[in-house]
């Protein structure tokens, strides 16, 4: 029998469906007028955690960022769309590919600003790794 929770696993976001959309504010700007890399990393981790939690059907923790590169700066007034997809699945862990696209110039331009591969581990009530549900 399908539940709302297991139905969500079948309907994971597609590339054209961002997991998260945010707008950075003035407090997120560094001395160069660009958005702090740490701010972007936090937004990516949040989006990856949303997808990982859906897949794990529960709590997860970020355990690694295997590769992340900043391709272009994020500017004030950019609208940030964060896309996440399952790249690999293990017994307790999953690799989530996260891509960040900045929309600027009042929606006239889209720029890929960064991407990375984040590894999340499913956690039990004792905060220890647990097996991922079948799927």
């Amino acid at each position: 029998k399908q539940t709302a929770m297991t139905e969500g696993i079948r309907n994971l976001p597609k590339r054209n469906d961002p997991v998260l959309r945010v707008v950075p504010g003035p407090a997120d700007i560094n001395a160069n007028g660009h958005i702090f890399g740490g701010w972007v990393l936090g937004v990516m981790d949040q989006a990856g955690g949303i997808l990982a939690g859906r897949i794990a059907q529960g709590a997860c923790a970020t355990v690694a960022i295997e590769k992340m590169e900043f391709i272009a700066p994020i500017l004030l007034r950019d609208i940030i769309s964060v896309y996440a997809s399952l790249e690999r699945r293990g017994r307790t862990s999953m690799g989530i590919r996260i891509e960040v696209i900045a929309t600027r110039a009042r929606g006239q331009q889209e720029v890929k600003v960064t991407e990375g591969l984040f590894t999340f581990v499913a956690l039990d009530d004792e905060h220890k790794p647990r097996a991922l549900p079948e799927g």
Side-chain angles (χ1 to χ4, degrees), residues 15-131:
R15 168 58 177 89
N16 58 354
D17 297 329
V19 173
L20 189 61
R21 205 171 253 151
V22 293
V23 177
D28 305 314
I29 296 176
N30 65 23
N32 299 320
H34 303 148
I35 303 305
F36 284 110
W39 180 88
V40 179
L41 184 65
V43 169
M44 293 172 78
D45 192 36
Q46 184 179 14
I50 290 169
L51 180 60
R54 289 176 186 169
I55 294 166
Q57 298 179 27
C60 293
T62 309
V63 296
I65 301 170
E66 295 174 35
K67 182 179 179 201
M68 183 173 164
E69 64 181 288
F70 293 98
I71 301 163
I74 296 175
L75 310 175
L76 191 62
R77 292 187 287 282
D78 283 350
I79 297 171
I80 306 306
S81 298
V82 187
Y83 300 88
S85 60
L86 180 64
E87 188 163 296
R88 70 172 188 269
R89 182 185 177 107
R91 191 180 77 72
T92 63
S93 68
M94 64 205 97
I96 306 285
R97 171 72 53 196
I98 303 169
E99 183 179 29
V100 180
I101 305 294
T103 303
R104 49 182 66 142
R106 294 190 174 14
Q108 300 300 308
Q109 183 182 24
E110 286 191 339
V111 178
K112 182 175 178 177
V113 293
T114 189
E115 78 172 299
L117 182 62
F118 288 55
T119 301
F120 292 86
V121 170
L123 299 175
D124 65 15
D125 292 338
E126 303 290 320
H127 309 286
K128 300 216 184 311
R130 67 170 170 84

